[in-house]
Each structure stands twice: as C-alpha cells, then as structure tokens.
C-alpha cells in the first residue's frame, strides 16, 4: 500500500499522542488503530502495524522509567515472562477461536475498572500491603498477556489496576511496571503477526519514531509532581472511552443481549 506525505504526518501525530497517553495510563491503541483503519488499512494489518509502533513507544517509556530507578526488573522478570508466554498463547488461540464474545465482556470489565478508581480508596504513590503474592502476580500477568494476544483493548489499564488493587503499588510505580509487562506481551504478539506477514513496515516505523517521542513525554509527565494526579483521571477517561468505542461497534454481543432483555 502507498500513502502520501499528509497521511504519514497524520499517522505520526496520532502515534505521538497515543505514545504519550500510553505511558501515562494505557489505551493509546484507541487512537492509533482507528487512525490506521481510516487510512484504508485492513483491520488485521492495522492491529499488527499498531503492535509494531506501540512496541517502540513502550520501550521508550520503559527506558525512561528505568533511568529513574522506578522498575524492579528482578521482581518482575517472571511476571514479564508470564505476560510473554500468555500473549503467544493468545495470538495462537485467536486463529482458532472466534474472539467476538470478548467484545461483550470487556466493556463490563472496563466500567468496573473505572468505578474502582472513581469510588474505591484513593490511589497515590504510597505503597500499600499486597493482598497476593508473587505466584499470583505471575499467574495474573499470564492471563492478561493471553488477553493481549487474543483481543487486546485496555491491557495496560487492566495491568495497572491489578498492580494497584491487588499488589499494593502506588499509581506511578504501577504505571512504570505496567510498561515493562505490556512491552513483553506486545513483543510476543508482534512476533506472531510478523510471522503471519501482517505488518506494514514503512507505516509502522514512521509511527514508531513519533511513538518513541510520545513515550518519553508521557513518562516524564508521570514522574513529575502531578504524575499520580494525571494517571488516575486518565485511566478513568480512557476506560470509558474504550467502553463507548466497543459498544458502538456493529454486532457487539452485549448490546444485543441488553436489547433482547429490554425487548
């Protein structure tokens, strides 16, 4: 596929904004995937190309957080391996199973997540007592990695929520470690899609440059004095925006179920 300069410029702008938001709260694909599809790229290739550019942006954010000593690589080695393995399994499973049922389940999960940050205990950068141990952390990240490879929307937000709600992390610390975990699951899914020949390399690499810059800006904002205050509302906004997008898609099973119940 061939694109003009204007299309590349708009896609790069979308990647920059998405990279910034991703580093803060996740959900950047809500911007880039529709942008890629608006450029005339088929859905599977759009998802594959988005994995390429977002992997660069997420790597950029990981490096920025790591330079500030905000990532415990030793503790998160096995959770990252779990996310990687789960994502490989999810990417294989999507070729065998219809993922449409998740389009109905995910909005419910996203609303629950937004409600937690709106109504639950105030999350700050202060660490709290973890409710679950390391084995549970690895297991949960394996499951979320599987979800990322199988379906994907909101993976970073789900990971951050689990780290805050179940493992006692502060918001900024949870965001930093989420970038590492999400990078692991992204690379696994990307490798599977590359093997399938679905990635548009020129488009993806142009967007990747912008995504790297956005990831650096987002990480800088997260590490600033207003970091925790920025992340909490962004998680809520991105969760509700993604919920609205999924519910507006034709054939969403949750919408059909509700209409049948009301009718």
């Amino acid at each position: 596929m061939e694109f003009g300069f204007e299309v590349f410029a708009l896609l790069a702008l979308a990647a920059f904004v998405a990279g910034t938001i991703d580093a803060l709260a996740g959900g950047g694909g809500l911007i880039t995937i529709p942008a890629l599809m608006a450029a005339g790229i088929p859905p599977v290739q759009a998802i594959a190309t988005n994995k390429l550019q977002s992997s660069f942006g997420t790597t950029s954010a990981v490096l920025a957080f790591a330079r500030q000593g905000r990532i415990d690589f030793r503790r998160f080695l096995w959770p990252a391996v779990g996310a990687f393995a789960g994502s490989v399994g999810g990417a294989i499973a999507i070729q065998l199973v219809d993922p449409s049922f998740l389009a109905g389940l995910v909005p419910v999960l996203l609303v629950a997540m937004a409600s937690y940050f709106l109504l639950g205990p105030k999350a700050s950068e202060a660490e709290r007592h973890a409710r679950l141990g390391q084995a549970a952390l690895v297991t949960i990240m394996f499951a979320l990695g599987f979800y990322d490879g199988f379906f994907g929307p909101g993976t970073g937000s789900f990971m951050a929520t689990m780290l805050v709600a179940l493992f006692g992390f502060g918001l900024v610390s949870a965001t930093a470690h989420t970038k590492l975990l999400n990078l692991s699951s992204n690379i696994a899914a990307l490798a599977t899609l590359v093997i399938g020949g679905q990635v548009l390399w020129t488009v993806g690499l142009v967007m990747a440059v912008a995504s790297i810059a956005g990831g650096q800006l987002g990480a800088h904002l997260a590490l600033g004095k207003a970091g925790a205050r920025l992340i909490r509302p962004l998680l809520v906004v991105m969760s509700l925006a993604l919920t609205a997008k999924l519910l507006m898609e034709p054939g969403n099973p949750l919408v059909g179920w509700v209409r049948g119940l009301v009718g």
Side-chain angles (χ1 to χ4, degrees):
M1 301 179 70
E2 295 184 2
F3 303 97
F5 173 79
E6 297 83 358
V7 174
F8 278 115
L10 289 172
L11 289 175
L13 177 60
F16 175 80
V17 175
T20 303
I21 292 174
D22 248 340
L24 282 165
L30 183 63
I31 297 170
T32 49
I33 292 177
L36 286 162
M37 293 178 66
I41 298 173
V44 174
Q45 289 185 324
I47 292 171
T49 304
N50 181 65
K51 286 292 184 187
L52 172 64
Q53 68 87 23
S54 66
S55 293
F56 279 89
T58 305
T59 300
S60 172
V62 167
L63 292 174
F65 283 119
R67 281 196 297 268
Q68 297 296 321
R70 303 307 294 260
I71 298 179
D72 186 343
F73 287 97
R74 179 174 296 180
R75 180 180 178 185
F76 274 79
L77 171 61
W78 286 111
V81 170
F84 185 95
S87 187
V88 170
I92 293 172
I94 198 174
Q95 302 175 59
L96 306 173
V97 181
D98 182 3
S100 61
F101 74 94
L102 279 177
L105 175 62
V106 171
V108 177
L109 298 177
L110 287 168
V111 169
M113 183 173 67
S115 299
Y116 172 82
F117 281 106
L118 279 172
L119 306 174
K122 185 177 180 180
S124 66
E125 183 47 15
E127 300 284 328
R128 294 175 291 109
H129 178 68
R131 300 182 182 182
L132 300 174
Q134 185 74 355
L137 177 59
V138 174
T139 302
I140 289 173
M141 293 311 153
F142 175 87
L144 289 176
F146 183 93
Y147 167 78
D148 193 23
F150 189 78
F151 193 63
T155 301
S157 299
F158 286 137
M159 287 177 170
T161 304
M162 293 298 102
L163 291 179
V164 171
L166 299 180
F167 298 97
F169 282 76
L171 271 177
V172 176
S173 181
T175 299
H177 288 94
T178 290
K179 294 302 101 185
L180 175 64
L181 295 165
N182 211 175
L183 175 62
S184 182
S185 65
N186 271 350
I187 290 175
L190 174 62
T192 304
L193 292 165
V194 166
I195 292 171
Q198 299 292 345
V199 176
L200 300 180
W201 288 96
T202 302
V203 174
L205 291 174
V206 168
M207 294 179 73
V209 174
S211 184
I212 289 171
Q216 289 288 309
L217 175 60
H220 175 75
L221 292 173
L223 290 167
K225 292 182 179 179
R229 292 197 300 272
L230 282 171
I231 294 168
R232 183 185 179 107
L234 266 177
L235 278 168
V236 174
V237 169
M238 295 308 294
S239 298
L240 295 179
L242 185 52
T243 299
K245 179 182 181 296
L246 289 172
L247 291 177
M248 287 189 294
E249 289 181 354
N252 186 285
L254 179 61
V255 176
W257 180 81
V258 171
R259 285 176 177 170
L261 187 65
V262 173

